[in-house]
Amino acid sequence: MDRTIKITIVEDEMVIGANISLQLSSLGYEITGILPRGKEVLAHVKQNDPDIILMDINLKGEWDGIQTAEHLQKEHTIPIIYLTANADEHHFNRAKATNPYAFISKPFKKLDLQRAVELTINHIQNETDNTTAIQETAAPFILSDSIFVRHHEKMVKVVIQDILYIEAERNYCRIHSKGKEYLLVMTLKDMDDKLPNKHFLRIHRSYIINISQIDEVAQSHVVISKKAIPVSKAQREELLKRLQTI
């Protein structure tokens, strides 16, 4: 990137936050702020528009770091790097569901921090490069029984019944169909608004599924074509209702 990368630090131990800030500033990054509470992050992000957020998982207060990330991702697609002194399986799985770009275990060295940030920037640049390769006209034409998507400069017909699930990838969504995948310049919310409700249900902030393609239903996820897809608590009841009507 040609401009200075802006980083927000969310850390309730201010000595650690200040130390991270000094280290990143010495590497040439701009620190937009050090925030001790998750609920402060949303307003800060709207005002400062950071490129990366360093998020302590074990924040004190009403929201821990993972809950803060979940709230943040409802409105923003900012890469998150988690800081944690507690890397147990439960926290890791919760954190993993928010698709972080990296984990840094406390205590960490300056080199660990530097490499995590550099890898994240590299991912951001690659995503930007890939975006230019996908035409902005790649929005699909959605009919009652099929979707036409742009693929290699052509519009390709994807039969709705063949779609397994659709996954959010930042400002894109990826259609997983039988044997093929298609990446579209379209948010999952926009896709959800256009798809026929008869076949599809958004069961998680990152996933829309084709209900008829479900192989298994578990307490917290469904399985489609050997892929375990999480189901949010809010959507589980609706999913069970829809399954009863098939």
Side-chain angles (χ1 to χ4, degrees):
M1 292 187 178
D2 296 330
R3 57 180 177 76
T4 302
I5 296 294
K6 297 193 294 184
I7 300 176
T8 297
I9 301 167
V10 188
E11 169 63 68
D12 55 15
E13 295 187 45
M14 295 310 290
V15 173
I16 294 176
N19 184 41
I20 294 171
S21 179
L22 285 172
Q23 292 184 26
L24 291 176
S25 295
S26 71
L27 293 169
Y29 301 115
E30 177 185 341
I31 307 304
T32 67
I34 305 171
L35 309 177
R37 294 291 181 268
K39 283 207 166 181
E40 300 173 14
V41 176
L42 299 185
H44 180 89
V45 164
K46 285 182 179 179
Q47 291 179 356
N48 295 276
D49 193 25
D51 299 294
I52 298 171
I53 295 178
L54 283 174
M55 181 84 70
D56 180 25
I57 285 182
N58 300 305
L59 288 177
K60 299 179 182 69
E62 188 174 340
W63 296 347
D64 66 9
I66 301 168
Q67 290 169 309
T68 302
E70 290 170 346
H71 285 285
L72 188 67
Q73 288 174 342
K74 292 176 182 177
E75 299 180 21
H76 304 278
T77 57
I78 303 168
I80 291 173
I81 299 173
Y82 280 124
L83 309 169
T84 179
N86 184 355
D88 64 60
E89 194 73 12
H90 174 67
H91 283 86
F92 177 76
N93 286 333
R94 282 183 61 220
K96 186 171 68 171
T98 63
N99 300 311
Y101 278 62
F103 285 86
I104 304 177
S105 294
K106 298 177 182 179
F108 52 83
K109 299 176 181 176
K110 182 178 181 179
L111 186 59
D112 298 330
L113 185 64
Q114 179 179 349
R115 285 176 174 169
V117 171
E118 286 178 359
L119 284 171
T120 299
I121 293 169
N122 188 55
H123 286 153
I124 296 170
Q125 289 173 330
N126 287 339
E127 287 178 356
T128 302
D129 292 342
N130 289 338
T131 301
T132 60
I134 303 171
Q135 294 188 25
E136 289 300 323
T137 56
F141 299 116
I142 300 177
L143 307 177
S144 60
D145 64 344
S146 58
I147 299 175
F148 281 84
V149 300
R150 187 172 293 279
H151 186 63
H152 299 317
E153 303 304 317
K154 296 184 295 186
M155 295 304 289
V156 178
K157 181 178 180 179
V158 181
V159 177
I160 281 178
Q161 288 183 343
D162 290 342
I163 295 174
L164 303 172
Y165 59 93
I166 303 169
E167 182 178 9
E169 292 191 13
R170 316 272 170 211
N171 290 323
Y172 307 94
C173 58
R174 185 179 296 275
I175 295 177
H176 296 261
S177 66
K178 293 179 178 178
K180 287 191 176 181
E181 296 180 7
Y182 304 93
L183 187 65
L184 305 182
V185 183
M186 191 176 201
T187 65
L188 198 67
K189 181 183 183 303
D190 289 339
M191 178 63 83
D192 189 31
D193 290 340
K194 294 178 181 295
L195 285 169
N197 290 332
K198 177 182 175 183
H199 300 279
F200 296 95
L201 178 66
R202 187 171 183 176
I203 60 170
H204 184 270
R205 59 183 174 76
S206 298
Y207 291 96
I208 297 170
I209 63 165
N210 186 340
I211 297 172
S212 64
Q213 296 288 354
I214 295 175
D215 298 315
E216 299 175 27
V217 179
Q219 184 64 32
S220 61
H221 68 274
V222 298
V223 177
I224 296 178
S225 190
K226 298 183 180 179
K227 165 77 172 179
I229 301 172
V231 181
S232 69
K233 290 180 181 179
Q235 285 301 98
R236 179 172 170 75
E237 185 177 345
E238 178 63 23
L239 172 63
L240 294 177
K241 284 182 184 177
R242 295 282 292 276
L243 286 172
Q244 290 171 0
T245 64
I246 292 178

